[in-house]
């Protein structure tokens, strides 16, 4: 509840400004990247002999552990086993294996400042549980998580340069004996597995973007097996031929690397939040969900020369200076837009970039020209609908271009309550020179005195390129209706998801050409979008100069 004097609104504006800038402020966020690596140092020495012979059903063998067809340490001899020494084979084996490093997991998480984040990668092991009461015995199953668990609680310092983190790292796995029993149990869970657990808890202070390493999570496993044939293995010297010794030593160390990244207040270009440019993030031709496309990095223009313009910075600085004395300016246009970081005319540039994406995806080809129409006013002020194809064929057969002109002021006539989207239809000769054609189209879309508001929006269709451009514009209009996204340079960044209509919807839909389509057609045309942006920008700057008085923009 706020009580204020209506005759002194400045006090209310000051209080609201204090609430918005110091109290009602979004919490800072942090991206934490984790890399879990297991370094395995494995030494395996398997020393022994392998014998084998086969001759018309007779065989003799002494195989290494795990050999197929015999038990470990078995010796099978038939009468004819060694009658044909060409079939007899013997092998001395001494294999040695070494370990390597393996990335177990590489997750990342976005978390609010001073809030807990939990990352768990692994599986659930079923464990039988029996509870006995005075009246009954209840049997149930509990699932015990094993794998990698990271519990993190970060906190950013006041200077936004360091992150203090409470870290708990748990690496758990079931023992080899329990794993073998679990695999052989065929669904039987009436046993309690042995769990190997490695855990570290710590508090650290890390600079922004600096990796922090947790090491020393060691585990070792030593195994030794001696397999021999009774009696034969005890023969001096020759007994070694019937003996196999396997010694295995494995040392595993888990290393956890954590890297915090403080997300700036304007995170649109923060690289840790931008997905890789890949088709895997797109979603097309789903049955239940709308098509979706993520903006690529190369589809966002480098407009730093606009955002860093000395003219723009000077205007914003002057508005801020005046708004500090007169806080009511913060809620008035065009001052509020400048103070919010918006750039006049930037919506024109955003729509042009969107049109390029539509063209790249060849979505405009889905528009059926037989289902594109417009309204035309008759001599008695009635409206008739006309198919675009019919009017286009008539103009092209005459060797001219079709012109559809709409009133840009878009207001109802005197005595009327609605504005009807009718076009003034004509045809004209179109210059063949590309430069002359640019100025010709610009002349068909004039602005008022002093380059203020436009008077008319005109569509010129003279060749296949113009028709393809119109198709893309019709898709663009549908995108703008479907997404309702802010048409600002700050919002249109790599990773932005844009919903697309289905191709079937666009192929079956009837498309009306109106004043909005005509405006999009002109402002997204090659060589026309930048002058359209400049017109809006210069107009808003002149409005600011007219209000603030002397000391204009340099």
């Amino acid at each position: 509840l706020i009580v204020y004097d209506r005759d002194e609104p400045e006090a209310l504006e000051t209080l609201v400004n204090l609430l918005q800038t110091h109290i009602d402020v979004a919490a800072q966020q942090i991206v934490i990247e984790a890399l879990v690596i297991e370094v395995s140092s494995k030494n395996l020495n398997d020393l022994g002999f392998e014998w084998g012979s086969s001759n018309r059903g007779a065989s003799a063998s002494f195989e290494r552990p795990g050999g197929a067809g015999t038990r470990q340490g078995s010796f099978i001899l038939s009468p004819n086993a060694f009658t044909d020494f060409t079939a007899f084979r013997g092998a001395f084996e001494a294999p040695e294996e070494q370990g390597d490093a393996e990335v177990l997991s590489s997750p990342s998480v976005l978390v609010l400042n001073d809030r807990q984040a939990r990352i768990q990668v692994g599986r659930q092991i079923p464990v039988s549980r029996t509870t006995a009461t005075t009246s009954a015995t209840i049997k149930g199953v509990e699932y015990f998580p094993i794998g990698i668990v990271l519990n993190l609680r970060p906190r950013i310092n006041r200077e936004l340069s360091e992150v203090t983190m409470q870290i708990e790292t748990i690496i758990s796995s079931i023992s080899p004996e329990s794993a073998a029993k679990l695999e052989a149990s065929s669904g039987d869970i009436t046993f309690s597995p042995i769990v190997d657990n490695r855990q570290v808890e710590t508090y650290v202070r890390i600079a922004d973007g600096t990796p922090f390493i947790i090491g020393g999570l060691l585990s070792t496993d030593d195994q030794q097996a001696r397999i021999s044939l009774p009696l034969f293995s005890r023969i001096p010297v020759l007994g070694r031929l019937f003996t196999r010794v396997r010694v295995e030593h494995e040392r595993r160390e888990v290393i956890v690397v954590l890297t915090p990244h403080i997300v700036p207040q304007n995170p649109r270009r923060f690289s840790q939040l931008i997905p890789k440019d890949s088709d895997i993030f797109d979603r097309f031709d789903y049955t239940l969900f709308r098509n979706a496309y993520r903006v690529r990095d190369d589809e966002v223009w480098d407009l730093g020369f606009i955002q860093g313009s000395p003219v723009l910075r000077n205007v914003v600085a002057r508005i801020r200076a005046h708004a500090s004395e007169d806080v009511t300016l913060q809620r008035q246009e065009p001052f509020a837009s400048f103070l919010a970081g918006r750039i006049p005319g930037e919506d024109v540039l955003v729509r042009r970039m969107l049109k390029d994406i539509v063209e790249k995806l060849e979505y405009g080809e889905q528009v059926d020209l037989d289902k594109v129409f417009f309204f035309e006013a008759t001599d008695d002020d009635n409206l008739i609908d006309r198919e675009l194809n019919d009017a286009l064929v008539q103009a092209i057969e005459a060797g001219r271009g079709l012109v559809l002109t709409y009133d840009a002021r878009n207001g109802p006539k005197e005595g009327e309550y609605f504005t009807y989207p009718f076009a003034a239809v004509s045809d004209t000769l179109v210059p063949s020179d590309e430069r002359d054609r640019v100025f010709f189209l610009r002349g068909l879309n004039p602005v008022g005195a002093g380059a203020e508001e436009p008077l008319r929006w005109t569509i010129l269709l003279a060749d296949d390129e113009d028709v393809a451009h119109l198709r893309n514009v019709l898709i663009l209009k549908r995108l703008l209706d479907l997404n309702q996204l802010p048409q600002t340079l700050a919002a249109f960044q790599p990773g932005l998801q844009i919903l697309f209509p289905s191709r079937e919807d666009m192929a079956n839909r009837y498309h009306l050409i109106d004043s909005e389509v005509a405006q999009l057609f002109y402002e997204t045309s090659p060589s026309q979008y930048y002058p359209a942006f400049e017109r809006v920008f210069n107009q808003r700057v002149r409005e600011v100069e007219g209000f603030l008085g002397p000391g204009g923009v340099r």
Side-chain angles (χ1 to χ4, degrees):
L1 177 63
I2 300 177
V3 180
Y4 68 98
D5 187 354
R6 292 185 178 181
D7 296 331
E8 297 181 1
E10 293 80 5
L12 175 63
E13 293 289 346
T14 302
L15 177 59
V16 171
N17 183 50
L18 175 64
L19 293 174
Q20 292 178 341
T21 57
H22 296 282
I23 298 178
D24 188 19
V25 179
Q28 200 84 24
Q29 297 186 100
I30 307 168
V31 172
I32 301 176
E33 290 183 315
L35 183 64
V36 183
I37 305 172
E38 183 178 63
V39 181
S40 175
S41 176
K42 182 177 181 181
N43 294 315
L44 171 64
N45 293 308
D46 191 358
L47 181 63
F49 288 86
E50 179 175 343
W51 304 104
S53 175
S54 61
N55 182 20
R56 300 174 62 89
S59 64
S61 65
F62 180 72
E63 298 185 346
R64 63 180 179 272
T70 62
R71 293 179 301 167
Q72 296 180 2
S74 63
F75 187 80
I76 303 173
L77 180 65
S78 61
N80 299 322
F82 299 105
T83 56
D84 185 1
F85 278 89
T86 61
F88 181 76
R89 297 290 184 269
F92 172 76
E93 294 186 353
E96 183 175 350
E97 297 179 7
Q98 298 293 332
D100 203 350
E102 178 185 3
V103 177
L104 299 182
S105 181
S106 181
S108 62
V109 64
L110 177 66
V111 60
L112 289 175
N113 183 33
D114 205 20
R115 294 293 187 270
Q116 182 170 340
R118 178 182 175 88
I119 301 174
Q120 180 174 342
V121 181
R123 58 176 178 165
Q124 304 278 343
I125 298 298
V127 178
S128 177
R129 179 179 180 180
T130 302
T131 303
T133 64
T134 56
S135 59
T137 300
I138 303 174
K139 292 185 177 181
V141 177
E142 287 186 354
Y143 286 88
F144 185 86
I146 64 169
I148 303 168
V149 177
L150 295 174
N151 290 318
L152 309 166
R153 190 183 184 97
R155 186 171 185 178
I156 307 173
N157 69 344
R158 183 177 301 177
E159 292 77 17
L160 304 181
S161 60
E162 294 181 335
V163 178
T164 301
M165 281 199 296
Q166 178 183 0
I167 303 171
E168 181 184 32
T169 304
I170 304 174
I171 311 293
S172 58
S173 61
I174 59 175
S175 64
E177 297 83 1
S178 298
K181 187 175 181 180
L182 181 63
E183 293 294 335
S185 62
S186 300
D188 182 17
I189 58 173
T190 58
F191 77 99
S192 298
I194 300 174
V195 178
D196 298 329
N197 199 52
R198 288 164 282 175
Q199 182 173 346
V200 171
E201 293 186 29
T202 185
Y203 291 86
V204 296
R205 187 174 69 245
I206 314 170
D208 179 30
T210 302
F212 169 71
I213 299 177
I214 301 175
L217 301 175
L218 299 174
S219 67
T220 59
D221 185 15
D222 294 321
Q223 294 184 9
Q224 181 173 347
R226 184 177 185 274
I227 305 169
S228 60
L229 190 67
L231 299 179
F232 289 90
S233 62
R234 298 180 182 179
I235 300 175
V237 182
L238 295 179
R240 297 287 295 176
L241 299 177
F242 301 94
T243 303
R244 193 177 196 93
V245 178
R246 179 186 178 93
V247 178
E248 183 176 355
H249 174 75
E250 185 173 8
R251 180 176 181 271
R252 296 186 300 273
E253 178 179 6
V254 176
I255 298 174
V256 181
V257 183
L258 300 175
T259 308
H261 301 276
I262 299 175
V263 180
Q265 291 292 349
N266 183 12
R268 295 294 181 177
R269 282 198 173 273
F270 187 54
S271 59
Q272 304 299 328
L273 301 180
I274 300 175
K276 179 182 177 181
D277 289 346
S278 173
D279 295 341
I280 196 173
F281 294 107
D282 299 333
R283 185 179 68 229
F284 285 93
D285 301 325
Y286 277 50
T287 303
L288 299 179
F289 298 96
R290 291 191 180 276
N291 295 337
Y293 179 84
R294 287 193 178 271
V295 177
R296 274 54 166 174
D297 183 69
D298 60 353
E299 293 166 346
V300 179
W301 299 349
D302 183 5
L303 299 173
F305 71 98
I306 295 177
Q307 296 163 318
S309 166
V311 174
L312 178 61
R313 287 186 294 184
N314 188 31
V315 169
V316 174
R318 294 190 62 211
I319 294 175
R320 284 177 178 167
H322 282 74
S324 62
E325 300 176 359
D326 183 4
V327 292
T328 59
L329 289 181
Q330 299 178 10
R331 298 184 180 275
Q332 298 180 26
E333 291 294 347
F335 311 106
S337 294
F338 278 104
L339 293 175
R342 293 190 288 271
I343 303 174
E346 61 183 345
D347 55 329
V348 176
L349 302 176
V350 171
R351 291 194 292 265
R352 167 67 193 200
M353 288 186 282
L354 279 172
K355 199 275 296 187
D356 287 347
I357 294 176
V358 173
E359 184 176 0
K360 170 185 173 181
L361 297 178
E362 299 180 349
Y363 235 76
E365 296 179 1
Q366 308 303 318
V367 176
D368 186 356
L369 290 181
D370 291 331
K371 296 182 179 180
V372 179
F373 68 100
F374 59 90
F375 290 115
E376 181 182 8
T378 61
D379 295 336
D380 54 357
D381 291 335
N382 291 323
L383 292 180
I384 60 172
D385 60 279
R386 294 187 58 185
E387 292 185 1
L388 176 66
N389 253 346
D390 293 341
L392 193 59
V393 169
Q394 294 177 12
I396 292 178
E397 287 180 349
R400 302 167 72 87
L402 177 64
V403 179
L404 303 178
T405 303
Y406 293 84
D407 187 354
R409 289 163 292 187
N410 207 28
K413 295 181 180 180
E414 184 177 354
E416 296 180 351
Y417 299 98
F418 304 102
T419 301
Y420 298 97
F422 65 88
V425 185
S426 62
D427 54 54
T428 182
L429 291 174
V430 181
S432 58
D433 182 74
E434 186 65 29
R435 179 178 175 83
D436 293 339
R437 184 169 175 170
V438 168
F439 287 100
F440 182 73
L441 179 59
R442 194 171 299 172
L444 294 176
N445 292 267
V447 295
E452 297 295 335
E453 296 295 336
L455 300 176
R456 295 187 297 273
W457 297 119
T458 301
I459 295 176
L460 174 62
L461 302 175
D463 53 30
D464 292 340
E465 290 186 5
D466 294 334
V467 175
H469 179 55
L470 176 62
R471 280 174 155 162
N472 292 329
V473 165
L474 292 172
I475 299 292
L476 174 60
K477 180 186 177 184
R478 179 65 178 145
L479 286 188
L480 297 176
D481 294 338
L482 191 61
N483 287 272
Q484 298 296 321
L485 52 86
Q487 298 175 36
T488 63
L489 296 179
F492 192 82
Q493 296 295 334
L496 175 68
Q497 186 181 69
I498 302 173
L499 297 180
F500 269 75
S502 67
R503 298 182 186 272
E504 294 78 11
D505 173 50
M506 298 314 299
N508 298 325
R509 178 181 292 268
Y510 283 87
H511 303 271
L512 171 64
I513 301 177
D514 56 10
S515 178
E516 181 183 357
V517 173
Q519 179 182 355
L520 293 174
F521 183 92
Y522 174 72
E523 290 186 340
T524 61
S525 297
S527 305
Q528 305 295 350
Y529 63 89
Y530 193 76
F533 156 74
E534 281 190 320
R535 177 187 60 78
V536 178
F537 182 87
N538 294 336
Q539 178 184 347
R540 296 295 178 264
V541 170
R542 282 193 293 269
E543 290 178 7
V544 172
E545 285 187 296
F547 184 88
L548 298 183
V553 180
R554 295 184 297 274

